[in-house]
Amino acid sequence: LLMGVSIFYKYSTVSNSSVYHQYFTDYNLSTTRGENNHSAMEDAYRNQNWNSVIDAFNREPEKTNKSYFLAGMADMKLKNFAAAVSHFENILAANAKSGGSYFQDEAEYYLALAYLMNGETDKGVSLFHKIGSDSSQTFYPLVRQISSTDLKIIELKSKK
């Protein structure tokens, strides 16, 4: 009986949202001593003015992986997960095309979370598995903390 109650409790409390809220961590921009030439987007991001980050991104004539990433993070803060998915996917596509890895690890991790909140559970879980199997990935230790049972539960729930 106790086992049944435990299983029911676990199943009923685990969701895309609970995993997101448990494993979402704020991203802080690094600061270099003596650095004074921040972009408007970076200043808005540091001030947590998410709408200004998006505005600055939209005004930027040439977008970089960093600008896509900051816009994606701002969209996540604004709970605009579809836009965040698009921004993070742009980073992965740009890196695949160029062979680079600028913001690759960050984009993969936050994309997995954005997929969960955008209702694309299978993509999110798949990306978590990819990150969790690559010990060189920056977010490997964090993803390894996510219970495989929790991931299985949200996969099962998404199929209903």
Side-chain angles (χ1 to χ4, degrees), residues 27 65-66 69 91 95 101-108:
Y27 181 85
N65 282 4
K66 184 176 189 176
F69 181 75
I91 296 168
N95 284 341
S101 61
Y102 191 51
F103 279 95
Q104 179 77 21
D105 289 357
E106 295 88 346
E108 286 179 344

Side-chain angles (χ1 to χ4, degrees), residues 101-138:
S101 61
Y102 191 51
F103 279 95
Q104 179 77 21
D105 289 357
E106 295 88 346
E108 286 179 344
Y109 179 74
Y110 290 103
L111 177 58
L113 290 171
Y115 277 147
L116 291 184
M117 295 304 288
N118 199 43
E120 299 176 82
T121 304
D122 289 342
K123 288 181 179 180
V125 170
S126 176
L127 197 46
F128 278 135
H129 287 307
K130 177 185 179 282
I131 295 166
S133 66
D134 179 3
S135 61
S136 68
Q137 217 278 8
T138 305

Side-chain angles (χ1 to χ4, degrees), residues 21-35:
H21 289 294
Q22 186 172 356
Y23 293 99
F24 179 87
T25 57
D26 286 327
Y27 181 85
N28 296 312
L29 285 172
S30 60
T31 304
T32 305
R33 197 178 310 179
E35 184 180 306

Side-chain angles (χ1 to χ4, degrees), residues 1-159:
L1 180 63
L2 187 57
M3 176 73 94
V5 170
S6 296
I7 292 170
F8 176 77
Y9 176 77
K10 181 77 166 168
Y11 185 83
S12 64
T13 59
V14 172
S15 66
N16 292 11
S17 182
S18 69
V19 171
Y20 172 82
H21 289 294
Q22 186 172 356
Y23 293 99
F24 179 87
T25 57
D26 286 327
Y27 181 85
N28 296 312
L29 285 172
S30 60
T31 304
T32 305
R33 197 178 310 179
E35 184 180 306
N36 290 328
N37 56 348
H38 302 133
S39 70
M41 179 183 261
E42 290 176 30
D43 288 338
Y45 188 88
R46 280 188 178 89
N47 293 324
Q48 299 181 8
N49 189 339
W50 311 124
N51 288 313
S52 292
V53 172
I54 301 302
D55 290 341
F57 174 81
N58 290 332
R59 286 191 313 270
E60 221 174 63
E62 222 174 286
K63 301 191 178 9
T64 64
N65 282 4
K66 184 176 189 176
S67 62
Y68 276 112
F69 181 75
L70 295 180
M73 292 302 291
D75 279 322
M76 293 199 46
K77 290 293 197 167
L78 294 168
K79 299 184 182 349
N80 188 356
F81 299 107
V85 164
S86 176
H87 292 311
F88 297 138
E89 285 178 339
N90 273 311
I91 296 168
L92 300 184
N95 284 341
K97 185 177 179 181
S98 72
S101 61
Y102 191 51
F103 279 95
Q104 179 77 21
D105 289 357
E106 295 88 346
E108 286 179 344
Y109 179 74
Y110 290 103
L111 177 58
L113 290 171
Y115 277 147
L116 291 184
M117 295 304 288
N118 199 43
E120 299 176 82
T121 304
D122 289 342
K123 288 181 179 180
V125 170
S126 176
L127 197 46
F128 278 135
H129 287 307
K130 177 185 179 282
I131 295 166
S133 66
D134 179 3
S135 61
S136 68
Q137 217 278 8
T138 305
F139 291 87
Y140 170 84
L142 189 56
V143 170
R144 296 292 292 169
Q145 292 176 17
I146 301 173
S147 162
S148 59
T149 303
D150 289 358
L151 293 178
K152 194 59 155 167
I153 288 171
I154 61 175
E155 276 183 309
L156 288 171
K157 285 183 170 183
S158 74
K159 308 258 187 265

